[in-house]
């Protein structure tokens, strides 16, 4: 029977991995750099038992139900086997131990450490220790003499020593190895071994040969080598019978020699040429389990099974059997690709009843055709005959023996890319589920910890902001393994057991009723695999490839299918993001897809299962949203990516956390992300991928950095800063489109910062004579800053550039005008639509259509000051009707971040659920944001346009008495409406007020038709125009008005009022109307003044200025400094 090599499988994370069999050989035990010990029933075991022994496990040994591990906290620990329960610490070193071994009867353990020491400890009484000092560098490996007389050790100091255990003396020493200062720099870990049984020979891997030394004389007996070995040997291992010696090299070769003939009988090459760092022989069968430095586990079977007696039979029988099975080629080619081990692997082995070695995978082989002793396995006959011919031709073939050479009826071996094991589902911000103390979730709201030990099985919930909710302690009787936390609820889920279904449990602590908890059982055989919470909803993804959505109160809502098994989910506000397996990845890559949907009133899907970009050979470790609602995810290579809504929903890498790590094995564990300010909140983990629960980890803040080229140069640095600012402020457009409150000052600050960077880049390009680049940069600027660039270009004597920029400025102005006209048309359509059954009060769209930019500008500027008057005037109608239940009340108190603006007319007909403004964003080129901002904000503030513009905060502050409480205002919506009752009330009040409403309408009409008398601002401008032109001789008419506006705003409110009164006093019509409209008592006047002040303040705060005076001054100073 030929030797067989089974495909390797992923066992641990990248790093040194060790392997051993248990005493009976029924299972394989591995440990790795993830700190886990895994117990595999066989290589096909998809669910190995796993328990954690520390942050990193360097070596393991197993005997008599005791598992010894060398871990990164500098201890050698004992665990019971197979339970994995901690059973004490055997010994400690000042640094970590690199190798641990049992002696032949399991009574002693030897450990070698990086602090140059070797210790031998009694297993039953750890106080009985012997220390061996003499090495001058870290100890690499150890081997016990089977007779318990000697102990061999290899070290980074280049020597291999043999110690006498009884008196702790060094018997002999050979300078065989290359010297180095640490284990990670060693060319070989030099795992040496004594021959089992009598301990006659000591095998030491030295470069490309294995040297064998004779016991007692310590002479070199002979060397074993093979032309197949091309790199340094790393490890040797003796078969339990002592007849065979296996060796593994740093480039993935495994060779086996027969010690009697000293000939190489097996050669095998690792499928990816990774370093072999663990070899273990099966205690009964001729199998070798091996591990590599990437954490993979493999099995090499049927070693040295050459049944010489049957050679002739098999070769002569081949032809006849080929003829016999001509019609059944499918069986041979499909099922006989690679023979699996048979329980009877050697002539001298009688045990045939070990279940763990029976064929388990249909891909490799069907069971033997017939159980009869006389029957022959056709695949075996073919394989043997071909192998034997090959052996006769060339015994020392350097390519090694393939397990099954292709023949006419067999497909050749698959030698292409190997499929990657699929990543298991996980909750972002959680640590592995097998830990006794773990984080179930750590996010921007709080932390949920789970304790599962002898004393307690409980869950602790802690909130970062205790005003949201106090800390909570919950029992964990259902053994919940998943959790999520929001400002409304705690969501928990557990897997199903034999008796109980998988459950979703929600604690809705923000509920105003008494019943705050609900639980939902999943259907039979459906397990919850991932959960998440949003605003007002919860969702879970299940093993049936379904996503189930619930309200936070427990109502079942939508269900939809996923195209593949879920990996993780995240929720924020109305957004739900689901990551799942799109297909099978190859060569270490995962193949993931992402769906992003909005579960608000208008349910829509944003990302339709698009492929998720990951770094090569990495997997997903965190997925979530920033505090502002932008999707982010992080892969195992530390690359953080965010959704760039400004470039068609693409993903952009914004940080490489590996750049911030000091050591290769250090990582950052993400807990939250903010875009304004730009913060990546994470926990540094030294030598691990996740933090322990105790002591409480400290949160670090990392900065973002886009991977632009040449960021060391001034140009590259400014480009990176500019685009990072653009990308990280995209959320503002999304937020304003969706009707949330928006901090306009932050937006204007961001635009200002971006324009300053563009101006600096422009100046740099000017210096470098890159005029075409200057024009490209100017295309990104706002109109104001383009004007500044024109000045800079002309001062720098670049007249051609100044000309190009002037043409661009004209284009920008015409684009802006076109955009404004489109906006007006949209407003007109909307007004017509809303006029059905509604009358427009003076505060709704009553403004003249735009004719051209300059004219519009003048009208706007003239209206600016009247905004203050009109905002006072129009609510005068309501001042004498303080009844909050009246249908004339023009707004509702804002209670949620999503403000609903309810407009009503003097007719009093109103629909409380109607959102009055559905205006779309004006289609304005991004370069004109600053330039147009003042216009939009002016419109918003003036009475001539009170529709909610999406670019301004949708919070209306009415100048009327507010309802007593939210409940009252809500109740007023549902009062039975007697026909025309409110109209009557309105009419009576209008009569009392002397037909004020009508006159206000007329006034507003006249104002917007531009037939108004002079305003205070116009009078002020006439007097101060000369001063403005004196300071800024280059300004055209529109710019003079703009500059005048900014100066007029700087005046105190008293001065502005004086100018306004002066303007009113100078006009007979206006003063007459004023007398009609306003007869304030002293008290009313005081109230009016206060309200006016508030109105001015709110107007000012809502008006992001294009670039305020100081910014203009700064930029121009910067621009002209050089010239």
């Amino acid at each position: 029977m030929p030797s067989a090599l089974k495909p390797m499988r992923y066992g641990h994370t990248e790093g040194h991995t060790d392997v051993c069999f248990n005493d009976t050989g029924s299972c394989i035990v591995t440990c790795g750099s993830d700190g886990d010990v895994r117990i595999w029933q066989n290589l096909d075991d998809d669910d190995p038992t796993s328990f954690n022994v520390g942050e990193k496990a360097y070596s393991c040994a197993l005997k008599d139900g005791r598992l010894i591990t060398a871990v990164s906290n500098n201890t050698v620990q004992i665990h019971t086997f197979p339970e994995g329960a901690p059973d004490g610490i055997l010994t400690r070193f000042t640094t970590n131990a690199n190798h641990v071994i049992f002696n032949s009867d399991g009574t002693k353990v030897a450990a070698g450490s990086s602090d140059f020491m070797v210790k031998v400890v009694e297993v039953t009484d750890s106080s009985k220790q012997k220390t061996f000092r003499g090495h001058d560098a870290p100890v690499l490996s150890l081997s016990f003499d089977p007779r318990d007389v000697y102990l061999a050790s290899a070290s980074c100091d280049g020597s291999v020593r043999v110690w006498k255990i009884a008196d702790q003396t060094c018997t002999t020493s050979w300078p065989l190895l290359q010297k180095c200062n640490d284990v990670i720099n060693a060319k070989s870990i030099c795992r040496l071994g004594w021959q089992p049984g009598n301990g006659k020979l000591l095998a030491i891997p030295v470069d490309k040969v294995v040297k064998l030394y004779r016991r007692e004389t310590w002479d070199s007996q002979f060397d074993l080598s093979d032309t197949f070995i091309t790199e340094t040997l790393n490890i040797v291992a003796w078969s339990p019978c002592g007849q065979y010696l296996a060796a593994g090299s740093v480039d993935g070769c495994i060779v086996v020699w027969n010690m009697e003939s000293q000939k190489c009988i097996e050669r095998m090459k690792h499928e990816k040429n990774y370093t072999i760092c663990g070899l273990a022989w099966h205690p009964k069968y001729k199998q070798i389990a091996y591990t590599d430095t990437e954490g993979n586990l493999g099995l090499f079977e049927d070693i040295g099974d050459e049944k010489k007696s049957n050679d002739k039979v098999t070769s002569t029988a081949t032809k006849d059997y080929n003829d016999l099975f001509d019609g059944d080629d499918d069986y041979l080619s499909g099922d006989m690709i690679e023979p699996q081990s048979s329980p009877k692997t050697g002539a001298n082995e009688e045990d045939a009843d070990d279940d763990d070695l029976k064929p388990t995978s249909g891909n490799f082989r069907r069971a033997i055709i017939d159980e009869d002793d006389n029957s022959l396995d056709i695949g075996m006959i073919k394989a043997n005959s071909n192998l034997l011919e090959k052996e006769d031709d060339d015994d020392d073939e350097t390519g090694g023996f393939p397990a099954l050479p292709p023949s006419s009826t067999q497909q050749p071996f698959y030698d292409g890319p190997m499929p990657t094991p699929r990543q298991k589902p996980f909750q972002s911000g959680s640590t592995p589920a097998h830990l006794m103390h773990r984080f179930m979730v750590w996010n921007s709201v709080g932390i949920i910890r789970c304790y599962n030990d002898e004393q307690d099985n409980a869950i602790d919930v802690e909130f970062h902001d205790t005003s949201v909710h106090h800390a909570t302690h919950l029992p964990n009787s259902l053994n919940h393994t998943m959790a999520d936390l929001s400002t409304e609820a705690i969501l928990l889920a557990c897997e199903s057991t034999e008796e109980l279904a998988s459950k979703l449990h929600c604690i809705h602590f923000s509920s105003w009723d008494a019943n705050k908890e609900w639980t939902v059982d999943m259907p039979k055989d459906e397990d919850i695999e991932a959960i998440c919470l949003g605003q007002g909803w919860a969702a879970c993804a299940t093993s049936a490839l379904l996503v189930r959505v619930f309200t936070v109160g427990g109502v079942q809502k939508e269900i939809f299918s996923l195209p593949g098994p879920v990996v993780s989910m995240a929720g924020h506000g109305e957004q739900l993001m689901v990551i799942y397996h799109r297909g099978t990845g190859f060569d270490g890559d995962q193949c993931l897809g992402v769906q992003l949907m909005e579960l608000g009133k208008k349910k829509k899907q944003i990302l339709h299962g698009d492929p998720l970009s990951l770094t090569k050979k990495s997997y997903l470790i965190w997925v979530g949203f920033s505090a502002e609602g932008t999707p982010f995810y992080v892969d195992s290579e530390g690359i953080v990516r965010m959704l760039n809504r400004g470039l068609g929903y693409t993903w952009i890498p914004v940080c490489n956390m590996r750049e911030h790590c000091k050591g290769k094995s250090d990582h950052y564990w993400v807990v939250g992300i903010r875009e304004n300010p730009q913060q990546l909140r994470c926990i540094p983990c030294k030598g691990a991928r996740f933090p322990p629960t105790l002591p409480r980890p400290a949160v670090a803040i990392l900065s973002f950095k886009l991977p632009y080229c040449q960021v060391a140069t001034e140009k590259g640095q400014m480009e990176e800063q500019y685009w990072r600012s653009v990308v990280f402020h995209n959320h503002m457009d999304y937020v304003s489109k969706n009707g949330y409150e928006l901090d306009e000052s932050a937006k204007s600050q961001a635009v200002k910062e971006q324009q300053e960077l563009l101006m600096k880049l422009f100046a740099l390009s000017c210096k470098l004579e890159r005029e075409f680049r200057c024009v490209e940069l100017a295309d990104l600027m706002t109109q104001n800053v383009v004007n500044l660039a024109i000045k800079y270009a002309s001062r720098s004597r670049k007249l051609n550039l100044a000309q190009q920029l002037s043409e661009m400025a004209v284009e920008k102005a015409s684009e802006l005008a076109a955009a404004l006209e489109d906006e007006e048309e949209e407003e007109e359509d909307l007004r017509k639509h809303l006029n059905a059954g509604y009358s427009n009060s003076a505060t709704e769209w009553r403004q003249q259509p735009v004719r051209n930019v300059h004219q519009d500008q003048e009208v706007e500027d003239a209206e600016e000051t009247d905004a203050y008057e009109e905002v006072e005037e129009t609510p005068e109608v309501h001042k004498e009707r303080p009844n909050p239940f009246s249908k004339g009340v023009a707004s509702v108190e804002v209670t949620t971040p999503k403000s609903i603006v309810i407009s009503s007319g003097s007719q009093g007909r109103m629909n409380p659920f109607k959102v009055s403004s559905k205006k779309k964003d004006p289609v304005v080129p991004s370069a004109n944001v600053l330039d147009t901002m003042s216009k939009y904000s002016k419109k918003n503030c003036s009475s001539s346009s009170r529709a909610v513009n999406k670019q301004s905060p949708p919070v209306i502050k009415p100048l009327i008495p507010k309802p007593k409480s939210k409940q009252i205002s809500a109740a007023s919506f549902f009062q039975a409406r007697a026909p025309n009752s409110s109209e009557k009330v309105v009419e009576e009040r209008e009569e009392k007020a002397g037909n004020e409403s009508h006159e206000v309408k007329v006034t507003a009409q006249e104002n917007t038709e531009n037939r108004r008398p002079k305003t205070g601002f116009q009078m002020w401008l006439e007097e101060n125009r000369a001063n403005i032109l004196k300071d800024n001789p280059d300004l055209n008419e529109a710019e003079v008005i703009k500059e005048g506006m900014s100066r007029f705003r700087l005046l105190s409110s008293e001065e502005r009022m004086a100018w306004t009164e002066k303007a009113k006093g100078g006009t007979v019509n206006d003063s007459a109307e004023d007398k009609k409209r306003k007869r304030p008592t002293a008290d009313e006047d005081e109230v009016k003044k206060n309200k006016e002040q508030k109105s001015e303040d709110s107007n000012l705060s809502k008006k992001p200025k294009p670039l305020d005076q100081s910014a203009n001054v700064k930029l121009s100073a910067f621009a002209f400094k050089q010239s």
Side-chain angles (χ1 to χ4, degrees):
M1 194 185 296
S3 60
L5 190 66
K6 298 182 79 173
M8 297 194 78
R9 65 174 300 150
Y10 174 80
H12 297 271
T13 54
E14 175 191 340
H16 179 82
T17 313
D18 206 2
V19 63
C20 59
F21 280 94
N22 67 341
D23 299 335
T24 60
S26 61
C27 55
I28 305 168
V29 178
T30 59
C31 72
S33 57
D34 49 11
D36 290 342
V37 170
R38 295 204 167 93
I39 303 166
W40 312 75
Q41 297 308 314
N42 52 49
L43 199 62
D44 301 318
D45 183 359
D46 285 329
D47 190 20
T49 306
S50 178
F51 55 91
N52 188 268
V53 293
E55 282 187 20
K56 250 187 183 183
Y58 295 99
S59 176
C60 63
L62 176 61
K63 224 177 190 71
D64 300 337
R66 289 191 183 97
L67 176 71
I68 307 292
T69 51
V71 290
S72 53
N73 62 357
N74 310 341
T75 61
V76 175
Q77 300 178 354
I78 308 183
H79 286 76
T80 60
F81 184 84
E83 299 82 15
D87 198 19
I89 291 174
L90 203 58
T91 186
R92 293 178 188 275
F93 292 93
T94 53
T95 62
N96 56 280
N98 297 313
H99 195 201
V100 290
I101 48 162
F102 272 106
N103 65 350
S104 52
D105 61 3
T107 56
K108 294 190 185 83
V109 168
S113 161
S114 289
D115 64 4
F116 314 171
M117 286 206 283
V118 177
K119 288 184 182 180
V120 173
V121 190
E122 296 273 345
V123 175
T124 51
D125 183 2
S126 59
S127 62
K128 293 179 181 173
Q129 295 191 7
K130 291 184 178 177
T131 305
F132 299 78
R133 291 182 174 86
H135 281 299
D136 300 321
V139 178
L140 290 166
S141 65
L142 303 167
S143 180
F144 261 117
D145 162 24
R147 298 185 192 173
D148 268 4
V149 178
Y150 297 110
L151 175 72
S153 65
S155 165
C156 292
D157 62 11
S159 69
V160 175
R161 292 171 179 249
V162 177
W163 311 83
K164 201 162 187 177
I165 298 172
D167 56 8
Q168 303 168 41
T169 55
C170 178
T171 306
T172 186
S173 176
W174 300 286
L176 298 173
L177 311 175
Q178 193 171 325
K179 291 184 179 182
C180 61
N181 60 356
D182 200 359
V183 180
I184 54 169
N185 301 324
K187 276 185 76 176
S188 156
I189 56 170
C190 192
R191 292 275 194 266
L192 31 77
W194 292 88
Q195 187 173 18
N198 54 14
K200 183 178 166 186
L201 296 169
L202 173 64
I204 306 169
V206 180
D207 202 20
K208 295 172 193 165
V209 300
V210 179
K211 289 186 171 291
L212 288 113
Y213 288 87
R214 180 73 185 243
R215 184 194 182 89
E216 304 296 354
T217 64
W218 312 118
D219 298 330
S220 177
Q221 289 290 98
F222 55 89
D223 292 352
L224 295 174
S225 62
D226 191 80
T227 50
F228 185 62
I229 302 166
T230 55
E231 287 288 336
T232 306
L233 291 172
N234 210 33
I235 181 168
V236 296
W238 290 88
S239 64
C241 60
Q243 292 177 358
Y244 301 102
L245 180 69
S249 74
V250 295
D251 67 341
C253 297
I254 294 179
V255 288
V256 182
W257 290 276
N258 183 321
M259 293 310 293
E260 285 177 22
S261 62
Q262 295 179 22
K263 278 192 176 179
C264 181
I265 57 165
E266 296 288 2
R267 303 175 181 87
M268 185 282 285
K269 186 79 172 169
H270 188 294
E271 57 200 41
K272 291 187 182 171
N273 299 342
Y274 292 153
T275 299
I276 305 294
C277 59
L279 282 181
W281 283 80
H282 192 285
K284 295 179 182 173
Y285 303 129
K286 291 174 186 172
Q287 290 182 348
I288 295 177
Y290 61 97
T291 51
D292 61 33
T293 51
E294 295 293 315
N296 302 307
L297 169 67
L299 203 58
F300 192 16
E301 301 185 321
D302 306 329
I303 295 160
D305 283 349
E306 307 133 61
K307 298 196 172 86
K308 302 284 181 190
S309 57
N310 291 340
D311 287 355
K312 300 291 175 208
V313 181
T314 54
S315 53
T316 53
T318 305
K319 187 175 182 301
D320 299 337
Y321 275 96
N322 273 344
D323 296 340
L324 182 63
F325 280 90
D326 269 350
D328 200 12
D329 278 359
D330 290 344
Y331 162 67
L332 288 167
S333 59
D335 291 292
M336 296 300 300
I337 292 172
E338 185 179 276
Q340 175 87 342
S341 66
S342 155
K344 297 179 184 171
T345 55
N348 59 343
E349 308 281 342
E350 275 86 40
D351 295 358
D353 54 2
D354 269 274
D355 293 333
D356 56 331
L357 289 168
K358 284 186 181 169
T360 54
S361 172
N363 294 344
F364 296 119
R365 142 162 205 205
R366 274 188 206 159
I368 300 212
I369 301 167
D370 192 356
E371 293 301 324
D372 184 358
D373 286 340
N374 297 321
S375 67
L376 287 166
D377 184 334
I378 306 308
M380 294 300 105
I381 292 168
K382 288 185 168 192
N384 276 336
S385 60
N386 282 319
L387 267 175
L388 293 168
E389 285 163 25
K390 193 104 169 174
E391 267 190 317
D392 295 340
D393 293 346
D394 182 11
D395 196 37
D396 288 318
E397 189 191 27
T398 55
F401 291 112
L404 240 175
S407 66
S408 59
T409 57
Q410 288 178 309
Q411 296 172 347
F413 272 124
Y414 174 69
D415 196 26
M418 297 305 293
T420 309
R422 280 182 173 173
Q423 180 178 354
K424 291 200 169 97
F426 70 93
Q427 286 294 114
S428 289
S430 68
T431 53
H434 63 259
L435 299 174
M436 286 189 289
H437 291 196
R438 61 180 285 250
F439 293 112
M440 294 180 84
V441 69
W442 184 324
N443 62 19
S444 55
V445 178
I447 305 167
I448 301 183
R449 291 184 188 79
C450 178
Y451 301 98
N452 186 3
D453 47 31
E454 294 80 22
Q455 291 86 29
D456 204 4
N457 187 359
I459 291 169
D460 277 350
V461 185
E462 174 192 325
F463 292 85
H464 299 317
D465 180 359
T466 48
S467 66
V468 173
H469 196 264
H470 57 79
T472 309
H473 182 81
L474 307 167
N476 190 13
S477 52
L478 290 171
N479 200 19
H480 292 298
T481 54
M482 290 161 267
D484 199 10
L485 182 63
S486 75
T487 51
E488 297 178 312
I490 299 163
L491 191 64
L492 302 165
C494 61
E495 295 168 352
S496 61
T497 60
E498 288 175 10
E499 303 84 29
L500 296 170
S502 181
K503 294 176 189 292
L504 186 70
H505 181 63
C506 180
I507 301 163
H508 181 204
F509 55 76
S510 68
S511 168
W512 45 264
D513 68 3
N515 297 320
K516 297 185 185 298
E517 297 188 29
W518 53 269
T519 305
V520 173
D521 285 10
M522 293 296 119
K524 193 170 183 258
D525 300 328
E526 189 174 329
D527 265 358
I528 296 171
E529 294 187 326
I531 59 174
C532 71
L533 278 165
Q535 190 177 343
W537 57 267
C540 66
T542 69
S543 55
L545 304 188
L546 292 177
V547 173
R548 299 174 177 273
V549 183
F550 302 83
T551 65
V552 77
V555 179
Q556 295 191 56
K557 291 185 78 186
E558 292 82 9
I559 296 178
F560 60 93
S561 286
L562 283 177
V566 72
V567 177
S568 195
M569 293 167 78
H572 180 279
E574 294 174 350
Q575 299 178 88
L576 167 65
M577 179 160 55
V578 187
I579 314 282
Y580 59 88
H581 288 286
R582 252 181 353 114
T584 303
F586 286 89
D587 282 346
D589 296 332
Q590 296 288 333
C591 180
L592 306 180
V594 55
Q595 286 188 3
L596 177 63
M597 42 188 45
E598 291 183 1
L599 303 173
K601 287 204 171 82
K602 285 187 179 174
K603 293 177 174 57
K604 55 185 176 184
Q605 194 163 355
I606 310 296
L607 296 176
H608 303 260
D610 301 11
L612 197 73
S613 322
L614 290 172
T615 314
K616 277 193 174 179
K617 298 194 188 313
S618 72
Y619 51 92
L620 192 69
I621 59 168
W622 188 88
V623 56
F625 291 85
S626 66
E628 291 78 6
T630 305
F632 279 76
Y633 68 92
V634 185
D635 65 31
S636 56
E637 291 298 310
I639 305 296
V640 182
R641 291 179 179 83
M642 80 180 276
L643 189 70
N644 185 359
R645 290 194 171 98
L647 190 64
Y649 296 102
T650 49
W651 295 96
I652 178 170
V654 291
C655 180
N656 181 358
M657 296 194 296
R658 296 293 309 156
E659 288 177 359
H660 299 272
C661 293
K662 288 182 181 143
K664 191 182 174 186
S665 57
D666 295 349
H667 296 88
Y668 281 99
W669 193 70
V670 179
V671 295
I673 292 174
R674 293 203 60 181
E675 291 173 80
N676 190 19
Q678 293 174 21
Q679 287 182 348
L680 175 59
R681 303 171 71 80
C682 47
I683 293 168
C685 306
K686 194 157 180 60
R689 283 199 172 272
F690 54 85
T693 51
L694 291 170
R696 185 191 174 94
V699 176
I701 293 175
L702 301 185
S703 54
F704 292 102
K705 183 180 175 187
L706 273 52
Y708 274 81
C709 305
Q710 296 179 317
V711 286
T713 65
E714 195 180 359
K715 172 180 173 285
Q717 190 180 354
M718 286 193 287
E719 284 168 340
E720 190 273 335
Q721 284 174 359
Y722 172 76
W723 287 110
R724 177 152 47 86
S725 178
V726 169
V727 167
F728 275 85
H729 288 92
N730 279 340
H731 72 270
M732 292 191 167
D733 294 333
Y734 171 79
V735 163
S736 58
K737 271 182 201 165
N738 283 272
Y740 289 96
E741 289 184 41
L742 180 61
D743 181 3
E744 281 291 345
S745 61
K747 181 161 185 173
S748 57
Q749 184 59 37
V751 173
K752 182 175 155 185
E753 174 192 314
Q754 289 161 21
Q755 297 304 314
E756 281 178 3
L757 285 164
L758 285 173
M759 195 62 214
K760 285 179 185 174
L761 279 165
F762 180 88
L764 190 65
S765 302
C766 267
K767 270 190 200 169
L768 299 171
E769 305 287 330
R770 298 266 183 191
E771 295 192 10
F772 191 85
R773 188 183 290 168
C774 288
V775 175
E776 289 173 326
L777 287 165
D779 197 35
L780 300 169
M781 294 175 181
T782 61
Q783 201 172 355
N784 269 17
V785 184
V786 170
N787 292 341
L788 210 64
I790 293 169
K791 286 182 192 174
Y792 185 91
S794 53
R795 291 281 177 95
S796 307
R797 296 184 179 77
K798 299 192 187 314
L799 300 178
N800 187 22
L801 173 60
Q803 181 61 35
Q804 294 277 353
L805 294 176
S806 301
E807 287 168 19
M808 180 183 284
V810 172
E811 271 176 44
K812 279 182 184 285
S814 59
E815 280 172 16
L816 180 58
L820 286 170
E821 278 172 23
D822 292 348
E823 188 194 334
E824 289 297 333
E825 283 167 21
E826 279 175 27
E827 278 186 13
E828 193 67 47
D829 295 345
L830 186 59
R831 196 185 317 156
K832 281 176 186 166
H833 174 69
L834 287 177
N835 272 346
Y838 290 80
S839 82
N840 293 318
S841 70
T843 54
E844 290 182 354
W845 304 279
R846 287 271 186 256
Q847 62 187 37
Q848 104 198 63
V850 176
R851 290 186 293 284
N852 64 53
V853 179
H854 294 309
Q855 191 176 344
D856 176 58
Q857 185 115 25
E858 286 166 23
V859 172
E860 288 292 344
D861 292 337
E863 283 176 357
E864 173 68 22
T865 47
D866 274 13
Y868 301 126
E869 299 155 35
E870 287 170 18
V871 166
E872 294 152 27
E873 285 164 17
T874 47
E876 286 293 308
V877 179
H878 304 302
K879 270 190 183 173
E880 294 173 43
R881 355 171 174 156
N883 178 7
F885 298 102
S886 153
K887 296 283 179 175
V889 175
S891 97
V892 176
E893 187 176 4
V894 177
T895 55
T896 63
K898 281 206 147 187
S899 308
I900 298 175
V901 181
I902 297 175
S903 69
S904 70
S906 54
Q907 286 182 358
R909 291 180 57 192
M910 100 177 178
N911 174 359
F913 302 104
K914 182 84 175 170
V915 178
S916 70
S917 171
K918 295 276 182 194
K919 217 169 80 176
K920 288 182 182 168
D921 266 4
V923 187
V924 181
S926 61
N928 294 336
V929 176
L930 266 176
D931 194 51
T932 55
M933 207 174 276
S934 59
K935 292 174 189 169
Y936 294 149
S937 57
K938 285 170 198 167
K939 272 189 220 161
N940 293 344
C941 301
S942 72
S943 62
S944 52
S945 171
R946 284 297 288 264
V948 178
N949 188 314
K950 291 278 172 115
Q951 292 214 351
S952 71
V955 180
I956 305 296
K957 293 186 180 169
L959 299 171
I960 56 167
K962 289 187 180 175
K964 293 274 190 263
S965 70
K966 294 174 191 176
Q967 280 82 1
I968 293 173
S969 63
S972 66
F973 293 156
F974 301 107
Q975 283 186 340
R977 182 174 174 275
N980 297 324
S981 64
S982 59
E983 279 95 325
K984 285 173 193 168
V985 173
V986 171
E987 279 163 23
E988 284 164 20
R989 293 198 175 165
E990 276 172 357
E991 282 164 26
K992 281 181 199 168
N995 291 327
E996 287 163 348
S997 176
H998 171 70
E999 281 166 9
V1000 171
K1001 269 194 227 172
V1002 170
T1003 311
Q1005 189 86 27
E1006 283 169 6
N1007 287 349
T1008 49
E1009 295 296 10
N1010 212 14
R1011 288 193 295 271
R1012 63 176 73 183
K1014 279 185 182 174
T1015 63
F1017 167 67
Q1018 285 172 320
M1019 291 187 76
W1020 179 89
L1021 187 63
E1022 280 173 13
E1023 287 195 21
N1024 289 276
R1025 184 186 297 273
N1027 295 338
I1028 292 169
L1029 286 168
K1030 188 178 172 185
D1031 295 346
N1032 303 283
D1034 302 340
L1035 298 183
N1036 60 26
E1037 181 57 30
E1039 286 169 337
V1040 167
I1041 291 169
K1042 240 186 218 177
E1043 178 63 25
M1045 277 304 301
S1046 60
R1047 292 193 186 188
F1048 188 70
R1049 282 199 200 102
L1050 296 174
L1051 298 178
S1052 67
S1053 56
E1054 288 81 5
E1055 287 175 307
R1056 280 186 297 212
M1057 273 305 296
W1059 281 103
T1060 307
E1061 291 301 325
K1062 195 173 174 184
K1064 285 181 182 175
T1067 315
V1068 178
N1069 294 346
D1070 214 68
S1071 60
E1073 269 183 23
D1074 196 33
K1075 282 172 196 163
K1076 264 192 218 170
R1077 246 179 297 175
K1078 298 188 180 174
R1079 306 182 192 282
T1081 62
D1083 290 346
E1084 267 186 82
D1085 199 50
E1086 189 61 29
V1087 169
K1088 185 167 88 67
K1089 272 191 182 174
N1090 291 342
K1091 290 195 175 177
E1092 179 203 358
Q1093 186 63 41
K1094 276 185 196 167
S1095 161
E1096 280 170 9
D1097 291 348
S1098 63
N1099 282 335
L1100 285 170
S1101 67
K1102 286 182 191 173
K1103 270 180 211 137
K1105 302 175 187 76
L1107 272 172
D1108 61 21
Q1109 237 182 342
S1110 61
N1112 264 326
V1113 172
K1114 275 184 202 167
L1115 277 174
S1116 49
F1118 167 80
F1120 305 132
K1121 221 171 2 190
Q1122 282 45 336
S1123 50

